[in-house]
Amino acid sequence: METQTNHAELQITGMHCASCAARLEKALNQLPEVEAVVNIATEKASLNFNPAASNLENIIEAVRKTGFDAHPVRDFAAEKAARAATLRAQRNTFVIALLLTLPLLGEMLLMPFGIHLMLPPWLQCLLATPVQFWAGARFYHGAWSALRSGGSNMDVLVALGTSAAYFMSLAVWLLALDQSLYFEASATLITLVLMGKLLEARAKGKASAALESLIQLQPKIAHAERNGEFVDVSASSLRPGEIFEVRPGESLPVDGIVTSGQSSVDEAMLTGESLPQTKRPDDKVYAATLNQQGLLRCRALAVGSHTQLAAIIRLVEQAQGSKAEIQRLADRISAIFVPAVLGIAALTFVGWWLAGSGFSTALINAVAVLVIACPCALGLATPTAVVVATGRAAQFGMLVKDAAALERAHQLDILLVDKTGTLTEGKPGVSDIVPMPDIAPETLLQLAATLAERSTHPLSRALAMHAREAKITLLPVTDFREETGAGVSGNIEGDTCRLGSPDFIRRQNVEIPDARLTPLQAAGKSVIVLARGTQLLGFIALADQLRESSRSAVARLQAMGLKVVMLSGDQPATAKAIAEQAGIDAFRAQVLPEDKAAVVESYRKAGHRVGMVGDGINDAPALAAADIGFAMKSGSDIALEAADITLMRNDLGSVADAISLSRATLKKIRQNLFLAFAYNILGIPLAAAGMLNPMIAGGAMALSSVSVVSNALLLKRWRGGN
């Protein structure tokens, strides 16, 4: 019996650093049949659980026992309002703490101007106490929760460091000891940490701006046909099959198909494609895309959570909640980081005291070690970059399944590309019109298109489309007949004309010269023949057309250092011709669909990092077998499911964009990890050596988190096509 698995997203409150996220994740994964990933950047827990073993109420209770709070993710507006309220509360607390702390810093601030102002001890204590125990209450609460559950986090460091400075100063004042007071140090430290957390929260909000912009795109009102007239209704009330109207300058409320009208629709938010797409009857349109010119009437196909936009939002949220492998390394380090810092602080205190520097100096240096060693920057280094990058990817028409895919894409050195539907359009187009010597090309095309217009065969449809684009006038036909899979015939202007395969025409006692037919077939083209009575009129060849963007995309991928290999089921001559058109040096012809995955494995066994680009059902095994699978949006649902990255534009250039973004993201993650480690590697020894006072250490700690998040936000400058 198959085990049922439910998925849920919880919004977590009360996490302050990477150690918090790691501790909560460990606690959740210890629950029966629960798999959890906790993301400090999005402050969410992504859960897969067996409801028979652990229900959502039990999971939320486990979160609370760990010292945090949680609730199921609400709609975007509600979560945004809750975040805004939390941010306001943080800002108000910081402002009050700052106002109370500034007088304590008076002596330091006024000393350069020759003014010496020393507040009496009782006033210092009066100002510092609310900062310590009201503004700093979050640190005591977080520290107690961490210690109670057998862990430690940033709050433990801040609470220990500031409490040591505060209570030492309190003892010096009450016992009249001959020591300096450090009320200003404890208050300043808490104020600086609050400032850092406030700046960090604001920056983290900007990191998810891309996702926010997607959510806000869908209009709230739709013009639906009700009782024979168009009325304004809530977009959420539309149902599949209903007719709705989209006026110039309006966004589409749901996914649909055009029933009447013609217009240009801006689909940049969905595909990243800058040029508007012309929409005619029977063309698909998508929610939140912008109608630019004409009036469109459409029939709803997908509404609410089933629209393309909703699917994109779900994928982006899924990717933002996942973890890259490099983040797991940071998590392991942060799990042992706080205990190690506590040990270093203890050694610093003992060392300075034994060296004869006195209790006060030893304590202050130990406090400086505790304060500067916050692991926040380390925990934010990777997830913040991933949140920005996946949102940016969505804006350029690339849907990343998880952070690991984004991380691995930069490692690729081989890219296998399916020919049909990937390099090519995946549908036939007229490539050659070859009339017999006494027949005009226009006559050949007119007669052939007249018959093809009435046929349902894919080659006939392609020929008819070509004739319409060439504005060919069709002739009347009588006695039309179609022999399935072979050809068609009909009476045109008193003559019996036939259009079909060479064998079909030969059966009508028409002689076909091989010298004309063989070169077209050798090039891998599909050839249809036209005859009038027993007279051969000519040949029309059709072939799959190379996408306009394929050659430039291949050149760009090669310039990035990737070897591009084309896979095709065609004969070698045909495959070679397409490969040469695309600028590809290496190709494999006559590759059966079931053999594509084996080709992927052969390159992987040779030590290559392999990417696979495809669009069909037969590409799904190869997409799953590759290190990174890229699926064209025009492809099958199975191919999209198997792929790691879905390309909303049917353009190989999007693969180059995805790899470029992956490289930019990994560069930012490495820079962030360097910044996070640099602060600690340089700061901890300096603090232990007595070269940093606690206030400078607190400022450096706050700056470390802000600099990491700000550096990640620079990814918003990334542009596709580079």
Side-chain angles (χ1 to χ4, degrees), residues 459-475:
L459 294 182
S460 295
R461 288 181 177 178
L463 175 56
M465 177 65 73
H466 178 82
R468 284 196 292 272
E469 290 174 352
K471 294 184 169 44
I472 298 296
T473 302
L474 303 183
L475 302 171

Side-chain angles (χ1 to χ4, degrees), residues 526-544:
S526 300
V527 182
I528 53 179
V529 185
L530 180 68
R532 184 166 52 197
T534 58
Q535 178 191 8
L536 178 65
L537 299 184
F539 308 88
I540 296 176
L542 297 97
D544 197 358

Side-chain angles (χ1 to χ4, degrees), residues 267-333:
E267 296 182 340
M269 51 66 56
L270 192 71
T271 66
E273 175 62 62
S274 58
L275 295 176
Q277 305 298 302
T278 301
K279 299 294 180 180
R280 302 182 178 90
D282 297 330
D283 286 343
K284 285 186 177 181
V285 288
Y286 300 97
T289 55
L290 180 64
N291 180 29
Q292 292 191 325
Q293 297 166 337
L295 177 71
L296 291 177
R297 287 189 178 174
C298 312
R299 185 175 71 254
L301 294 179
V303 302
S305 63
H306 301 289
T307 64
Q308 198 78 76
L309 177 65
I312 290 173
I313 291 169
R314 282 195 299 272
L315 278 172
V316 173
E317 288 179 328
Q318 175 184 316
Q320 291 184 346
S322 62
K323 283 190 179 181
E325 284 302 316
I326 198 168
Q327 172 64 19
R328 300 185 191 280
L329 171 63
D331 287 348
R332 287 195 293 271
I333 293 172

